[in-house]
Amino acid sequence: MKKVIYLSIFFALLLVFNTACKGPTGPAGSQGDQGNPANPSAVVLSTPRFNSTTASAEIVWTINVDGNFSEYRLYRSDTPGVTESSTLVTTVTNRYSSFYVDVFGSKPTNYFYYKVYAYNIPGASTPSNEVILTGLYIFKLSFGSSGTGDGELDYPTDVAVDDSGNIYVADGFNYRIQKFDSDGNYLDQWGSLGTGDGQFDRPSSIEYAPDGYLYVGDFGNNRIQIFDTDGNYIDKFSTTGSPGDSFIAENGDIYVPDRTNHVVRWFDYTFAPVLTWGILGSGNGQFNGPIDIGASLDGGRLYVLDSGNGRVQAFTNNGVYLSQFSGPGTAPGQCDNCGGLAVDNYGLVYVTDWFEGMIQIYDEYGGFIEEFVVPGISPGIWGVCFDIDNNLYVVDSWNNVVHVFGP
């Protein structure tokens, strides 16, 4: 009998010992949740944006799911390549508190880079992706001056950048396109006043398309001409009226704002007309001098800059009216004289305001975010675009220069 009791006690103690060694058995500590002690699961950081109103940025990341989670550590550096030896911003021990507000007090004059390291109980760590703080618009360079010589400009209206960083400027009253390198050094030019292939009557817009060609709005000749990035003429098609700045979709469809006829024209990749919508007016879906078109990142929403009505109208990519935002005026979220529109790499919509010398910034649904005042600029900003690194290019038509700002 004693032998049976001793054996029962022995197996009971063995069960307790095994349970203790296995650790918690609840949902957060099950064996499937333990993770590799040497390699905790990495979290993913979203791209933070500087809030000019609060002079802060919210840093947000995904939740670590390891059962042996210990803490998050947010590191920051003013140069790329954040490591655990960089500045420790904060430590967060609550697994579900996966954000932090970094308060600066004033707008930073340099960029910041962030990583979040996830730590587990043994002390091992794994870094997240590295992100840069956006929305600072730190000045990088300006190029151009008044004149007719190489690199000089006479009322430029638009700018485009190819995947190699080369910059193309629609040099309006010099009737040409000029090409610059990424540092603003003059490289090449093509065009002259005329109606022939490769000639222009006020090139008013230029778009670098997904097919690698440049689509130039030839305003006075009521057409769009297509060139390769070396300036070789490729093709052309009529737009019936004076074209504004077009949008070229991934599938080759082309959407052209017709400024003189107050409509938007949709062409397929063969330049065949697909659909025209709009009429002169101020109602929903009506236009007064539409001047520019951009699209959401998924291509499902088209943003038409309805310049004469001081607003942006949003449509589906087959012309169905969705909504509108901005409006005439000088208050935040209003446009005194809208000139250009562009969508950045995060889906935000930028609208230039000629008279106010600033850029209005909206979310993809038209919610006003902030104004970006172009430093030292008198009225006159027009075209705007982004490159693949989200650098911002602004055409100062009045002063015949192009300004470049970091992301």
Side-chain angles (χ1 to χ4, degrees):
M1 184 68 178
K2 289 183 179 180
K3 186 175 181 179
V4 173
I5 294 174
Y6 291 151
L7 286 173
S8 299
I9 294 173
F10 172 79
F11 285 119
L13 290 173
L14 183 61
L15 177 62
V16 170
F17 177 79
N18 285 339
T19 301
C21 289
K22 289 180 180 179
T25 58
S30 64
Q31 288 300 294
D33 263 345
Q34 286 299 306
N36 186 336
N39 295 289
S41 300
V43 300
V44 179
L45 268 170
S46 300
T47 301
R49 180 178 176 81
F50 179 73
N51 185 321
S52 59
T53 302
T54 60
S56 65
E58 186 175 58
I59 318 300
V60 180
W61 57 91
T62 56
I63 294 172
N64 178 278
V65 297
D66 292 341
N68 55 357
F69 166 81
S70 175
E71 62 189 19
Y72 306 113
R73 295 182 193 174
L74 173 65
Y75 291 92
R76 182 184 70 199
S77 173
D78 56 6
T79 58
V82 180
T83 68
E84 291 170 286
S85 62
S86 302
T87 300
L88 176 61
V89 178
T90 189
T91 298
V92 179
T93 57
N94 183 346
R95 169 203 305 275
Y96 301 103
S97 183
S98 57
F99 71 94
Y100 178 78
V101 178
D102 203 1
V103 179
F104 300 96
S106 61
K107 180 180 176 180
T109 57
N110 60 272
Y111 292 106
F112 287 109
Y113 302 81
Y114 294 89
K115 278 185 183 178
V116 167
Y117 279 76
Y119 288 78
N120 61 19
I121 291 172
S125 64
T126 300
S128 69
N129 56 311
E130 182 170 299
V131 295
I132 185 174
L133 178 61
T134 63
L136 296 178
Y137 311 111
I138 295 175
F139 174 78
K140 297 183 73 172
L141 63 100
S142 294
F143 61 92
S145 61
S146 299
T148 60
D150 295 348
E152 295 177 336
L153 304 167
D154 187 1
Y155 207 79
T157 52
D158 203 14
V159 59
V161 184
D162 67 22
D163 291 339
S164 298
N166 297 308
I167 307 165
Y168 305 84
V169 180
D171 189 5
F173 287 117
N174 281 325
Y175 308 102
R176 64 187 178 184
I177 301 300
Q178 293 203 66
K179 180 178 180 179
F180 302 83
D181 67 17
S182 59
D183 294 319
N185 300 307
Y186 170 83
L187 294 176
D188 199 2
Q189 63 176 280
W190 65 90
S192 61
L193 177 60
T195 60
D197 295 343
Q199 294 184 311
F200 303 106
D201 183 0
R202 286 175 297 160
S204 59
S205 64
I206 186 165
E207 187 80 9
Y208 180 68
D211 60 12
Y213 291 122
L214 296 162
Y215 288 63
V216 179
D218 190 0
F219 185 85
N221 287 322
N222 296 334
R223 65 185 181 181
I224 289 178
Q225 298 193 70
I226 298 98
F227 301 86
D228 66 20
T229 55
D230 292 321
N232 297 306
Y233 171 82
I234 302 298
D235 211 339
K236 67 186 176 188
F237 65 96
S238 172
T239 57
T240 306
S242 300
D245 197 2
S246 305
F247 167 70
I248 299 90
E250 290 287 341
N251 66 355
D253 285 355
I254 307 162
Y255 297 86
V256 183
D258 181 340
R259 295 171 63 181
T260 51
N261 292 301
H262 314 289
V263 297
V264 171
R265 301 186 187 277
W266 173 14
F267 302 86
D268 69 16
Y269 71 97
T270 68
F271 313 141
V274 177
L275 179 70
T276 297
W277 74 87
I279 190 174
L280 177 61
S282 58
N284 295 344
Q286 298 178 335
F287 303 110
N288 184 3
I291 197 171
D292 206 342
I293 295 183
S296 59
L297 296 184
D298 64 4
R301 297 170 68 88
L302 296 177
Y303 306 103
V304 180
L305 183 55
D306 185 10
S307 182
N309 287 319
R311 65 183 179 181
V312 177
Q313 296 193 70
F315 299 84
T316 65
N317 55 15
N318 58 0
V320 177
Y321 172 83
L322 295 173
S323 62
Q324 62 181 278
F325 54 94
S326 189
T330 59
Q334 296 179 328
C335 195
D336 198 4
N337 188 353
C338 308
L341 178 149
V343 179
D344 73 7
N345 299 350
Y346 304 108
L348 302 182
V349 183
Y350 294 64
V351 178
T352 61
D353 190 328
W354 169 279
F355 284 133
E356 300 301 314
M358 66 174 57
I359 300 175
Q360 306 277 348
I361 305 170
Y362 304 85
D363 66 26
E364 63 177 318
Y365 299 108
F368 176 71
I369 295 176
E370 64 176 330
E371 296 176 336
F372 166 52
V373 178
V374 181
I377 301 302
S378 59
I381 61 172
W382 195 299
V384 60
C385 79
F386 292 89
D387 64 18
I388 58 176
D389 295 319
N390 217 44
N391 292 302
L392 169 65
Y393 298 76
V394 182
V395 177
D396 181 355
S397 302
W398 192 265
N399 293 299
N400 297 307
V401 295
V402 175
H403 305 282
V404 185
F405 301 88

